[in-house]
Amino acid sequence: QVHFPAIDLIGHATMRGNKMSGDVDLTLETGQAVGSAEFNMANDAYEVSLDLADMPIHAVLPFSNFGDLTASVTAKGKGFDLMDKSTELTANLLVDHLGYDGMDYKDVKCDVSLSSGTFVANFDSNNPNLDFTLGCGGELAENHYVVALDCDVRDLDLYALKLMDVRTNGRGLINAFGDIDLSNNHYDLTAEIQSLKLAYDTIDLN
């Protein structure tokens, strides 16, 4: 169920030639969202930002497990074809705090960049039930996309996060490497898992 509380909304939009821009300021009784965006239709260049301050997600989704959210998102780039080396992207997500199911998740960070066919992504969270670090990188070569991933899962509890209906939690070190042949869609993946501890329903793996 979705509920729409009282909202004050102020926004502006302009278009000059191939360039479009706009901004929005949304205020609820206990929270605020401020965003802006620019887009150039001539070269598909864009820049967007969104800042949320104590946004009461539960006020919009009253039957969800979410509470208040303070976070910021920025993205700047050019082009949308991820298989084109001219495509560029720099994006950042910072969750200062998110209330969820009675817990307060803090300092969750995610950074993504793409330039000249090289892709880098990082995720970091040090919270109960959501404690892991992930690093991923890839490079577009002729007809191939090579990807490497390293993940240190210290505590990931999908049952506590309400993502699974039965006990599902674990930890471990994951190293993976992949080679994607774009000419024939052939995928070659190698993964190594160390220090694995996994629990699923009544099954425990150590």
Side-chain angles (χ1 to χ4, degrees):
Q1 182 177 347
V2 179
H3 172 69
F4 293 97
I7 296 174
D8 290 331
L9 178 63
I10 300 174
H12 303 89
T14 60
M15 183 171 182
R16 295 184 177 91
N18 292 316
K19 296 182 179 181
M20 296 185 295
S21 63
D23 59 75
V24 63
D25 187 334
L26 183 150
T27 304
L28 282 74
E29 184 177 354
T30 59
Q32 185 178 31
V34 178
S36 64
E38 297 180 0
F39 180 64
N40 189 328
M41 294 182 291
N43 59 3
D44 287 340
Y46 57 89
E47 184 171 359
V48 298
S49 68
L50 176 64
D51 291 291
L52 306 174
D54 295 321
M55 283 297 293
I57 300 179
H58 56 88
V60 180
L61 302 171
F63 292 104
S64 74
N65 293 307
F66 290 101
D68 293 344
L69 170 63
T70 295
S72 63
V73 182
T74 62
K76 182 178 181 179
K78 183 175 69 173
F80 301 100
D81 185 354
L82 299 180
M83 297 303 171
D84 189 333
K85 283 192 173 184
S86 66
T87 299
E88 298 181 359
L89 169 65
T90 301
N92 306 97
L93 166 66
L94 172 60
V95 177
D96 185 66
H97 74 81
L98 168 64
Y100 180 74
D101 196 36
M103 299 283 292
D104 194 15
Y105 294 87
K106 300 179 179 180
D107 298 324
V108 180
K109 303 173 185 177
C110 182
D111 303 303
V112 177
S113 67
L114 175 64
S115 180
S116 301
T118 299
F119 168 79
V120 178
N122 294 287
F123 178 93
D124 183 62
S125 172
N126 294 280
N127 291 278
N129 308 322
L130 187 67
D131 187 1
F132 71 95
T133 302
L134 182 147
C136 181
E139 184 172 0
L140 178 64
E142 185 175 354
N143 294 326
H144 282 265
Y145 208 102
V146 180
V147 181
L149 179 146
D150 296 295
C151 187
D152 180 7
V153 181
R154 297 173 292 272
D155 175 23
L156 183 59
D157 193 329
L158 301 183
Y159 178 74
L161 294 172
K162 306 296 185 183
L163 299 177
M164 296 291 289
D165 294 327
V166 297
R167 185 177 67 123
T168 309
N169 60 75
R171 65 172 184 257
L173 300 173
I174 303 171
N175 305 104
F177 175 83
D179 187 346
I180 305 171
D181 190 332
L182 302 176
S183 63
N184 57 15
N185 289 324
H186 177 76
Y187 297 80
D188 185 8
L189 176 65
T190 303
E192 179 181 359
I193 303 176
Q194 303 176 40
S195 305
L196 176 66
K197 184 176 182 180
L198 178 65
Y200 178 76
D201 200 4
T202 60
I203 301 172
D204 289 282
L205 297 175
N206 294 294

